[in-house]
Amino acid sequence: MLLPYPMTAINRRTFLSLAGGGFAAAQTAAAKPNVLMICVDDLNDWIGCLGGNPDSVTPNFDRLAKESVLFTSAHCAAPLCNPSRAALLTGIRPSTSGVYQNNQPWRTAPLLAKTRTLPQHFQDHGYKSIGGGKTFHDAYPDPDSWEEYFPSKTQQKPADPHPAKVPGSGLPNSGHFDWGPIAEGDTAMGDHKVVDWAIGQMNKSHGKPLFLAVGLFRPHLPWYVPKKYFDMYPLEKITLPKVNGDDLDDVPPIGKRMAKPHTDHKLVTDHGKWKEGVQAYLASIRYTDTELGRLLDAFGKSAVAKDAVVALWSDHGWHLGEKLHWRKFTLWEEATHNVLMIKAPGVSVAGGRCDRPVSLMDVFPTLSDLCGLPPKKECEGVSLRPLLVNPKAKWDRPALTTFGKANHAVRSEKWRYIRYSDGTEELYDREKDPMEWKNLASEPKFTPVKAELAKWLPKVDAAEVPARGNG
C-alpha cells in the first residue's frame, strides 16, 4: 500500500490503528516517539522569532522555531513559577486546585495530592521519565514524578556563581532583584551542567521510549551570566520598552497594587539603571540561547532524535518597565505571554506560525495525544494537534490566566479582558492598542464584548491552599 506522506513514528501509529488487529497494537506500542521537553524560566517574547525586543539575538530559539509550529500568542495559566508549572504539569488550573502563589506547596492541594503528573502519565504508559534542571517550582520538586533527576530528585537546580561584589547592579536594598557579569565562563553555570547531563542521557540506551525534561533557569533573576554576554549588548545601543507614564491612571486599585510602580520601577529609574536592567535580561537570554544550541546540536546527532516530539515552553512572561512594572505578577500581556513551540514529525508544519491564543494548559493533552497516550480525564486544556496540522485552523478558545484567587484575564485574538476579585475590570483592544494603554471596560458599547469573554471565566474559584514560608 502506497502512502501519500512519510511514514514517521507518529503517523505510523495512525495508520496501524486503522489496520486493526494485535499486530497493529504491538507495532503502535513499539513506535512511541521519544519526547524532549525544554522548560525555560521567566522568558517573555524577547526572542528573535517573536520580535519582542529588536536587540535580542537568539539563533537557537529561532532555529527550533523553524522546525516547529511557533505559537505567537501562547499564555500561561498563572504569571508566576509555582502555580504556572503545577498547572501545566498536572493539567489542573489554579482556580480548580487552589494553588495561586509561589509559597503554596502544590502537593498539599487536595486535588493534587495524588494526581498523576505529566512525567508520571508517560511512565504509566511505557515511558522512562527523567529530568534535570528546573521543571517544577524549585521550592517544591516532586521526586515521585521521575525515575532519575539531576542534580537530584530533591534539588532541581545546580548552584550558579555570583559576581565578586553583590549587589552587582548597584541598586541599594534590591535583594534578589539584581544583575551583573560574572568572571567565570559558561562551564561554571548551573544550566551548562544541566545540559551536559542531558547530553549524556541522550547517548545512553534506556530500553524504553524516553520522556526527557530539561529545565533552563536563566533568564530568571538574578541575572548573573558571563561577562561576554553583557558585552554583546552595549548600553548605547539598548532599546528600552515603550512606556506610558500615565498608564495606570485608568487601572483599578487591585491592578495598581499588582504593578507596584513605586517599588522596582521607581528604584530602577531613580538610579538611572533602566538600560542596565534591559542589558542584563538580554544577556541572560543570549546565554540561555547558547545552552539551548548545545542541547539541540547534541540532540540532533543522537538516536533519541529520530521521530521525536520536541516541546519548548517558558512558564510566563516578564515586564521590564511596561505598565511601570518589573517582574511577572500581573494579568497584562507582558506577564501572561510566554514562549511555546512544538515539533511533531509527521504532524506539525515546520516553520508554522500560529496566531491563535493558546494556553500552557494545552501542553499536557497535546503531548499525550501526539504520543498516542490515553488522555488524562482531569486535564483542563485541549490538544493543539489541529493547530499543529494547520496553524490557521479555526480556534474559538481564548486563553485564561489567573493570578491570586478570583483574579483572571481572558485573552482572545482581539481582546484582553481582566476581571478582579472585587468585580472591577479592564478591557483592551489588542488590535488597536497592543501596549494595553487604554482601558475600555467602562464604555457601555463594549458591554457585549465583556459578556462574551466572561463566559470563559472559571465557574469556581477554589479556596487557597495554605501557604508555607516564602516559596
Side-chain angles (χ1 to χ4, degrees):
M1 177 180 181
L2 296 177
L3 298 177
Y5 46 77
M7 185 63 93
T8 67
I10 294 175
N11 58 37
R12 184 185 298 118
R13 289 196 306 280
T14 302
F15 169 71
L16 290 173
S17 66
L18 296 174
F23 172 76
Q27 291 298 307
T28 299
K32 288 179 179 176
N34 296 311
V35 178
L36 172 62
M37 184 178 76
I38 307 166
C39 329
V40 186
D41 211 335
D42 283 16
L43 177 63
N44 62 12
D45 63 359
W46 287 20
I47 58 174
C49 54
L50 287 176
N53 182 293
D55 303 334
S56 190
V57 177
T58 55
N60 296 300
F61 280 104
D62 300 348
R63 177 194 359 165
L64 182 58
K66 289 177 182 177
E67 300 171 356
S68 309
V69 169
L70 174 69
F71 293 91
T72 65
S73 186
H75 298 269
C76 57
L80 63 172
C81 296
N82 182 47
S84 173
R85 291 165 181 266
L88 187 156
L89 292 165
T90 65
I92 299 173
R93 294 188 181 280
S95 53
T96 304
S97 71
V99 177
Y100 300 108
Q101 303 293 343
N102 277 346
N103 60 356
Q104 295 170 305
W106 63 271
R107 276 292 190 191
T108 65
L111 279 179
L112 304 185
K114 295 184 178 180
T115 195
R116 302 298 282 174
T117 64
L118 178 59
Q120 286 175 318
H121 187 63
F122 272 77
Q123 285 181 50
D124 293 342
H125 297 93
Y127 277 76
K128 181 177 182 179
S129 291
I130 62 175
K134 186 174 176 182
T135 49
F136 292 96
H137 184 44
D138 45 4
Y140 311 119
D142 194 50
D144 290 342
S145 282
W146 311 98
E147 294 176 58
E148 297 178 26
Y149 211 84
F150 177 83
S152 75
K153 290 186 178 183
T154 56
Q155 179 191 348
Q156 294 192 112
K157 189 179 80 65
D160 282 313
H162 288 57
K165 183 179 179 180
V166 174
S169 65
L171 295 175
N173 304 313
S174 56
H176 187 57
F177 184 59
D178 194 25
W179 58 79
I182 61 167
E184 294 85 349
D186 291 11
T187 57
M189 298 291 290
D191 284 340
H192 191 93
K193 297 171 186 176
V194 169
V195 170
D196 278 351
W197 170 84
I199 291 171
Q201 296 300 315
M202 293 174 190
N203 293 313
K204 289 182 179 179
S205 175
H206 294 279
K208 294 180 180 180
L210 186 65
F211 180 93
L212 172 61
V214 182
L216 300 175
F217 186 68
R218 293 291 180 271
H220 194 287
L221 285 169
W223 298 322
Y224 300 151
V225 294
K227 182 178 182 297
K228 65 180 179 182
Y229 297 104
F230 282 80
D231 293 342
M232 293 174 181
Y233 300 96
L235 287 176
E236 64 272 15
K237 296 183 179 180
I238 291 291
T239 304
L240 292 179
K242 295 179 181 179
V243 172
N244 175 4
D246 300 324
D247 203 356
L248 300 180
D249 289 359
D250 58 1
V251 168
I254 292 181
K256 290 178 181 178
R257 289 197 295 272
M258 289 179 181
K260 298 180 180 179
H262 301 298
T263 55
D264 292 334
H265 190 61
K266 188 175 189 302
L267 181 68
V268 169
T269 54
D270 282 357
H271 288 83
K273 295 290 186 178
W274 199 346
K275 283 191 174 182
E276 284 85 348
V278 170
Q279 177 195 46
Y281 189 69
L282 289 169
S284 296
I285 293 172
R286 188 64 179 271
Y287 163 73
T288 296
D289 184 80
T290 301
E291 294 297 349
L292 176 63
R294 294 180 60 233
L295 182 70
L296 294 178
D297 287 346
F299 177 71
K301 296 173 184 176
S302 73
V304 172
K306 181 176 173 57
D307 291 329
V309 173
V310 181
L312 183 149
W313 50 265
S314 63
D315 54 355
H316 44 69
W318 232 87
H319 289 251
L320 289 102
E322 305 93 340
K323 290 285 182 185
L324 313 184
H325 176 69
W326 289 68
R327 312 195 201 212
K328 46 253 188 172
F329 311 126
T330 76
L331 288 171
W332 299 307
E333 183 79 5
E334 287 78 18
T336 76
H337 188 201
N338 61 269
V339 179
L340 177 63
M341 54 186 82
I342 299 175
K343 174 184 176 180
V347 176
S348 60
V349 178
R353 294 178 67 91
C354 179
D355 300 327
R356 308 297 188 228
V358 300
S359 171
L360 287 183
M361 297 302 303
D362 303 329
V363 170
F364 195 139
T366 300
L367 293 182
S368 294
D369 181 6
L370 292 174
C371 296
L373 277 56
K376 179 184 174 181
K377 63 181 181 180
E378 297 90 352
C379 276
E380 296 184 270
V382 297
S383 174
L384 298 174
R385 178 188 281 267
L387 297 176
L388 294 174
V389 173
N390 176 12
K392 305 298 182 185
K394 183 178 179 182
W395 193 257
D396 60 2
R397 298 175 61 88
L400 174 70
T401 302
T402 298
F403 179 40
K405 183 180 179 183
N407 302 310
H408 307 289
V410 179
R411 175 68 156 85
S412 69
E413 286 194 59
K414 179 175 174 60
W415 303 99
R416 173 175 297 277
Y417 172 61
I418 298 173
R419 183 187 289 175
Y420 295 108
S421 57
D422 62 356
T424 55
E425 300 170 309
E426 296 175 52
L427 179 70
Y428 300 100
D429 184 336
R430 292 281 312 166
E431 293 178 355
K432 298 179 179 178
D433 180 23
M435 297 304 296
E436 299 180 356
W437 285 346
K438 183 174 176 55
N439 180 9
L440 305 172
S442 63
E443 298 187 24
K445 65 181 179 180
F446 295 114
T447 299
V449 174
K450 294 190 297 181
E452 185 63 29
L453 294 168
K455 293 178 182 178
W456 293 93
L457 295 172
K459 301 298 186 288
V460 175
D461 293 294
E464 296 181 74
V465 170
R468 183 183 300 167
N470 294 320

Short mmCIF file of all heavy atoms in Angstrom, two decimals, residues 302-342:
data_model
loop_
_atom_site.label_atom_id
_atom_site.label_comp_id
_atom_site.label_asym_id
_atom_site.label_seq_id
_atom_site.Cartn_x
_atom_site.Cartn_y
_atom_site.Cartn_z
N SER A 302 21.87 12.49 18.12
CA SER A 302 21.61 11.31 18.93
C SER A 302 20.52 10.43 18.33
O SER A 302 19.70 10.88 17.52
CB SER A 302 21.18 11.72 20.35
OG SER A 302 19.87 12.25 20.33
N ALA A 303 20.52 9.17 18.76
CA ALA A 303 19.46 8.26 18.32
C ALA A 303 18.11 8.66 18.88
O ALA A 303 17.05 8.29 18.34
CB ALA A 303 19.81 6.83 18.75
N VAL A 304 18.09 9.39 19.97
CA VAL A 304 16.85 9.82 20.61
C VAL A 304 16.02 10.71 19.69
O VAL A 304 14.79 10.75 19.77
CB VAL A 304 17.17 10.58 21.93
CG1 VAL A 304 15.93 11.22 22.53
CG2 VAL A 304 17.81 9.63 22.94
N ALA A 305 16.68 11.42 18.78
CA ALA A 305 16.01 12.44 17.97
C ALA A 305 15.09 11.87 16.90
O ALA A 305 14.18 12.58 16.44
CB ALA A 305 17.05 13.35 17.32
N LYS A 306 15.27 10.64 16.52
CA LYS A 306 14.50 10.08 15.39
C LYS A 306 13.01 10.09 15.70
O LYS A 306 12.56 9.44 16.65
CB LYS A 306 14.98 8.67 15.07
CG LYS A 306 14.24 8.04 13.88
CD LYS A 306 14.82 6.69 13.54
CE LYS A 306 14.01 5.97 12.47
NZ LYS A 306 13.88 6.78 11.23
N ASP A 307 12.26 10.84 14.91
CA ASP A 307 10.80 10.94 15.05
C ASP A 307 10.36 11.50 16.40
O ASP A 307 9.21 11.34 16.80
CB ASP A 307 10.12 9.58 14.82
CG ASP A 307 10.21 9.13 13.37
OD1 ASP A 307 10.24 10.00 12.49
OD2 ASP A 307 10.26 7.91 13.14
N ALA A 308 11.26 12.15 17.13
CA ALA A 308 10.93 12.61 18.47
C ALA A 308 10.05 13.86 18.44
O ALA A 308 10.14 14.70 17.54
CB ALA A 308 12.20 12.92 19.25
N VAL A 309 9.23 13.97 19.46
CA VAL A 309 8.44 15.19 19.71
C VAL A 309 9.28 16.12 20.57
O VAL A 309 9.85 15.69 21.58
CB VAL A 309 7.12 14.84 20.42
CG1 VAL A 309 6.38 16.10 20.85
CG2 VAL A 309 6.24 13.97 19.53
N VAL A 310 9.34 17.39 20.19
CA VAL A 310 10.06 18.40 20.96
C VAL A 310 9.09 19.51 21.32
O VAL A 310 8.40 20.05 20.45
CB VAL A 310 11.25 18.99 20.18
CG1 VAL A 310 11.99 20.02 21.02
CG2 VAL A 310 12.20 17.88 19.72
N ALA A 311 9.02 19.83 22.60
CA ALA A 311 8.18 20.94 23.05
C ALA A 311 9.04 21.87 23.90
O ALA A 311 9.72 21.42 24.82
CB ALA A 311 7.00 20.43 23.87
N LEU A 312 9.03 23.15 23.57
CA LEU A 312 9.74 24.15 24.37
C LEU A 312 8.73 25.17 24.85
O LEU A 312 7.95 25.72 24.06
CB LEU A 312 10.84 24.82 23.55
CG LEU A 312 11.70 25.85 24.28
CD1 LEU A 312 13.12 25.88 23.71
CD2 LEU A 312 11.11 27.27 24.25
N TRP A 313 8.76 25.41 26.16
CA TRP A 313 7.87 26.43 26.74
C TRP A 313 8.58 27.22 27.82
O TRP A 313 9.51 26.73 28.45
CB TRP A 313 6.58 25.81 27.30
CG TRP A 313 6.75 24.64 28.23
CD1 TRP A 313 6.70 23.31 27.90
CD2 TRP A 313 6.96 24.67 29.67
NE1 TRP A 313 6.87 22.53 29.02
CE2 TRP A 313 7.02 23.33 30.12
CE3 TRP A 313 7.09 25.70 30.61
CZ2 TRP A 313 7.23 23.00 31.47
CZ3 TRP A 313 7.29 25.38 31.95
CH2 TRP A 313 7.36 24.03 32.36
N SER A 314 8.16 28.47 27.99
CA SER A 314 8.56 29.24 29.16
C SER A 314 7.35 29.37 30.07
O SER A 314 6.21 29.31 29.61
CB SER A 314 9.08 30.62 28.75
OG SER A 314 8.08 31.40 28.12
N ASP A 315 7.59 29.52 31.36
CA ASP A 315 6.47 29.39 32.31
C ASP A 315 5.58 30.63 32.40
O ASP A 315 4.46 30.54 32.87
CB ASP A 315 6.97 28.98 33.70
CG ASP A 315 8.06 29.88 34.26
OD1 ASP A 315 8.53 30.79 33.56
OD2 ASP A 315 8.46 29.66 35.42
N HIS A 316 6.05 31.78 31.93
CA HIS A 316 5.25 33.01 31.90
C HIS A 316 6.11 34.08 31.26
O HIS A 316 7.24 33.83 30.83
CB HIS A 316 4.82 33.45 33.31
CG HIS A 316 5.92 33.36 34.32
ND1 HIS A 316 7.02 34.19 34.30
CD2 HIS A 316 6.12 32.52 35.37
CE1 HIS A 316 7.83 33.86 35.29
NE2 HIS A 316 7.32 32.83 35.95
N GLY A 317 5.59 35.30 31.18
CA GLY A 317 6.35 36.40 30.61
C GLY A 317 7.08 37.21 31.66
O GLY A 317 7.34 36.73 32.78
N TRP A 318 7.40 38.46 31.30
CA TRP A 318 8.19 39.32 32.20
C TRP A 318 8.06 40.77 31.77
O TRP A 318 8.14 41.09 30.59
CB TRP A 318 9.67 38.92 32.15
CG TRP A 318 10.26 38.68 33.50
CD1 TRP A 318 10.25 37.52 34.21
CD2 TRP A 318 10.95 39.64 34.32
NE1 TRP A 318 10.89 37.69 35.41
CE2 TRP A 318 11.33 38.98 35.51
CE3 TRP A 318 11.28 40.97 34.16
CZ2 TRP A 318 12.03 39.61 36.54
CZ3 TRP A 318 11.98 41.61 35.18
CH2 TRP A 318 12.34 40.93 36.35
N HIS A 319 7.84 41.66 32.74
CA HIS A 319 7.83 43.11 32.50
C HIS A 319 9.23 43.67 32.72
O HIS A 319 9.93 43.29 33.67
CB HIS A 319 6.91 43.81 33.50
CG HIS A 319 5.45 43.60 33.30
ND1 HIS A 319 4.61 44.59 32.84
CD2 HIS A 319 4.65 42.53 33.53
CE1 HIS A 319 3.37 44.15 32.81
NE2 HIS A 319 3.37 42.89 33.22
N LEU A 320 9.60 44.65 31.90
CA LEU A 320 10.84 45.42 32.11
C LEU A 320 10.52 46.91 32.03
O LEU A 320 11.19 47.67 31.34
CB LEU A 320 11.91 45.03 31.12
CG LEU A 320 12.50 43.63 31.36
CD1 LEU A 320 11.91 42.62 30.40
CD2 LEU A 320 14.02 43.64 31.27
N GLY A 321 9.48 47.32 32.73
CA GLY A 321 9.07 48.72 32.78
C GLY A 321 7.70 48.97 32.20
O GLY A 321 7.08 49.99 32.50
N GLU A 322 7.21 48.08 31.33
CA GLU A 322 5.87 48.24 30.80
C GLU A 322 4.86 48.24 31.94
O GLU A 322 4.99 47.49 32.90
CB GLU A 322 5.53 47.12 29.82
CG GLU A 322 6.53 46.96 28.68
CD GLU A 322 7.62 45.95 28.98
OE1 GLU A 322 7.85 45.64 30.17
OE2 GLU A 322 8.23 45.45 28.01
N LYS A 323 3.85 49.08 31.84
CA LYS A 323 2.87 49.27 32.92
C LYS A 323 3.56 49.74 34.21
O LYS A 323 3.07 49.49 35.31
CB LYS A 323 2.08 47.98 33.19
CG LYS A 323 1.11 47.60 32.08
CD LYS A 323 -0.12 48.48 32.09
CE LYS A 323 -1.12 48.07 31.02
NZ LYS A 323 -2.26 48.99 30.93
N LEU A 324 4.74 50.36 34.06
CA LEU A 324 5.52 50.87 35.19
C LEU A 324 5.84 49.77 36.19
O LEU A 324 5.87 49.99 37.41
CB LEU A 324 4.76 52.02 35.90
CG LEU A 324 4.18 53.10 34.97
CD1 LEU A 324 3.55 54.22 35.79
CD2 LEU A 324 5.23 53.65 34.01
N HIS A 325 6.11 48.58 35.65
CA HIS A 325 6.27 47.39 36.47
C HIS A 325 7.47 46.58 36.00
O HIS A 325 7.80 46.58 34.80
CB HIS A 325 4.99 46.55 36.38
CG HIS A 325 5.04 45.24 37.10
ND1 HIS A 325 5.08 45.15 38.47
CD2 HIS A 325 5.04 43.95 36.65
CE1 HIS A 325 5.10 43.87 38.84
NE2 HIS A 325 5.09 43.14 37.75
N TRP A 326 8.12 45.88 36.92
CA TRP A 326 9.15 44.90 36.60
C TRP A 326 8.73 43.55 37.21
O TRP A 326 7.95 43.50 38.14
CB TRP A 326 10.50 45.33 37.18
CG TRP A 326 11.10 46.49 36.45
CD1 TRP A 326 10.63 47.77 36.44
CD2 TRP A 326 12.27 46.47 35.62
NE1 TRP A 326 11.42 48.55 35.65
CE2 TRP A 326 12.45 47.80 35.15
CE3 TRP A 326 13.18 45.50 35.26
CZ2 TRP A 326 13.50 48.16 34.30
CZ3 TRP A 326 14.24 45.85 34.43
CH2 TRP A 326 14.39 47.15 33.95
N ARG A 327 9.26 42.50 36.66
CA ARG A 327 8.97 41.11 37.05
C ARG A 327 7.67 40.63 36.39
O ARG A 327 7.22 41.19 35.41
CB ARG A 327 8.92 40.94 38.57
CG ARG A 327 10.10 41.57 39.31
CD ARG A 327 10.18 41.06 40.72
NE ARG A 327 10.95 41.94 41.58
CZ ARG A 327 11.68 41.55 42.60
NH1 ARG A 327 11.76 40.27 42.91
NH2 ARG A 327 12.34 42.42 43.34
N LYS A 328 7.09 39.56 36.96
CA LYS A 328 5.85 38.99 36.43
C LYS A 328 4.69 39.52 37.29
O LYS A 328 4.48 40.70 37.40
CB LYS A 328 5.92 37.48 36.39
CG LYS A 328 6.47 36.82 37.66
CD LYS A 328 7.86 36.28 37.51
CE LYS A 328 8.30 35.48 38.73
NZ LYS A 328 9.56 34.78 38.54
N PHE A 329 3.85 38.65 37.84
CA PHE A 329 2.88 39.01 38.88
C PHE A 329 1.82 40.03 38.43
O PHE A 329 1.38 40.86 39.23
CB PHE A 329 3.58 39.55 40.12
CG PHE A 329 4.71 38.72 40.64
CD1 PHE A 329 5.97 39.28 40.85
CD2 PHE A 329 4.55 37.37 40.92
CE1 PHE A 329 7.03 38.53 41.32
CE2 PHE A 329 5.60 36.60 41.39
CZ PHE A 329 6.84 37.18 41.59
N THR A 330 1.40 39.99 37.17
CA THR A 330 0.29 40.83 36.72
C THR A 330 -0.55 40.03 35.73
O THR A 330 -0.19 38.92 35.32
CB THR A 330 0.75 42.13 36.01
OG1 THR A 330 1.19 41.82 34.68
CG2 THR A 330 1.86 42.83 36.79
N LEU A 331 -1.66 40.62 35.31
CA LEU A 331 -2.55 39.97 34.33
C LEU A 331 -2.52 40.68 32.98
O LEU A 331 -3.42 40.50 32.17
CB LEU A 331 -3.98 39.91 34.88
CG LEU A 331 -4.17 38.91 36.02
CD1 LEU A 331 -5.54 39.06 36.67
CD2 LEU A 331 -3.98 37.47 35.53
N TRP A 332 -1.46 41.46 32.72
CA TRP A 332 -1.30 42.11 31.43
C TRP A 332 -0.44 41.26 30.49
O TRP A 332 0.18 40.27 30.90
CB TRP A 332 -0.69 43.50 31.63
CG TRP A 332 -1.56 44.39 32.47
CD1 TRP A 332 -2.88 44.68 32.25
CD2 TRP A 332 -1.19 45.09 33.66
NE1 TRP A 332 -3.35 45.53 33.23
CE2 TRP A 332 -2.33 45.80 34.11
CE3 TRP A 332 0.00 45.21 34.39
CZ2 TRP A 332 -2.32 46.62 35.24
CZ3 TRP A 332 0.02 46.02 35.52
CH2 TRP A 332 -1.13 46.71 35.93
N GLU A 333 -0.39 41.67 29.23
CA GLU A 333 0.25 40.88 28.19
C GLU A 333 1.69 40.51 28.51
O GLU A 333 2.12 39.38 28.29
CB GLU A 333 0.20 41.64 26.86
CG GLU A 333 0.77 40.90 25.66
CD GLU A 333 -0.17 39.86 25.07
OE1 GLU A 333 -1.33 39.77 25.53
OE2 GLU A 333 0.25 39.16 24.13
N GLU A 334 2.45 41.47 29.03
CA GLU A 334 3.87 41.22 29.26
C GLU A 334 4.10 40.05 30.21
O GLU A 334 5.09 39.32 30.10
CB GLU A 334 4.56 42.48 29.82
CG GLU A 334 4.74 43.58 28.81
CD GLU A 334 3.47 44.36 28.53
OE1 GLU A 334 2.51 44.29 29.35
OE2 GLU A 334 3.41 45.03 27.48
N ALA A 335 3.20 39.86 31.18
CA ALA A 335 3.36 38.80 32.17
C ALA A 335 2.73 37.48 31.73
O ALA A 335 3.22 36.41 32.07
CB ALA A 335 2.77 39.22 33.51
N THR A 336 1.64 37.54 30.96
CA THR A 336 0.95 36.29 30.60
C THR A 336 1.51 35.65 29.34
O THR A 336 1.42 34.44 29.17
CB THR A 336 -0.56 36.52 30.40
OG1 THR A 336 -0.82 37.17 29.14
CG2 THR A 336 -1.16 37.33 31.54
N HIS A 337 2.09 36.45 28.45
CA HIS A 337 2.56 35.95 27.16
C HIS A 337 3.87 35.20 27.35
O HIS A 337 4.82 35.72 27.93
CB HIS A 337 2.76 37.13 26.21
CG HIS A 337 3.05 36.73 24.80
ND1 HIS A 337 3.68 37.58 23.90
CD2 HIS A 337 2.81 35.59 24.12
CE1 HIS A 337 3.80 36.99 22.74
NE2 HIS A 337 3.28 35.77 22.84
N ASN A 338 3.94 33.98 26.86
CA ASN A 338 5.14 33.16 27.02
C ASN A 338 5.53 32.52 25.69
O ASN A 338 4.83 32.66 24.69
CB ASN A 338 4.93 32.09 28.10
CG ASN A 338 3.80 31.16 27.75
OD1 ASN A 338 2.65 31.40 28.13
ND2 ASN A 338 4.09 30.09 27.02
N VAL A 339 6.63 31.82 25.72
CA VAL A 339 7.13 31.13 24.52
C VAL A 339 6.58 29.71 24.49
O VAL A 339 6.60 29.01 25.50
CB VAL A 339 8.67 31.09 24.52
CG1 VAL A 339 9.20 30.37 23.29
CG2 VAL A 339 9.24 32.51 24.61
N LEU A 340 6.11 29.29 23.34
CA LEU A 340 5.67 27.90 23.14
C LEU A 340 5.92 27.51 21.69
O LEU A 340 5.47 28.19 20.76
CB LEU A 340 4.19 27.73 23.47
CG LEU A 340 3.61 26.33 23.23
CD1 LEU A 340 4.28 25.28 24.11
CD2 LEU A 340 2.10 26.31 23.44
N MET A 341 6.67 26.44 21.50
CA MET A 341 6.86 25.87 20.16
C MET A 341 6.88 24.36 20.28
O MET A 341 7.40 23.81 21.25
CB MET A 341 8.12 26.42 19.49
CG MET A 341 9.40 26.26 20.28
SD MET A 341 10.85 27.10 19.49
CE MET A 341 10.62 28.79 20.03
N ILE A 342 6.28 23.69 19.29
CA ILE A 342 6.16 22.23 19.32
C ILE A 342 6.52 21.66 17.96
O ILE A 342 6.01 22.11 16.92
CB ILE A 342 4.74 21.78 19.72
CG1 ILE A 342 4.39 22.29 21.12
CG2 ILE A 342 4.61 20.26 19.65
CD1 ILE A 342 2.96 22.00 21.55
#
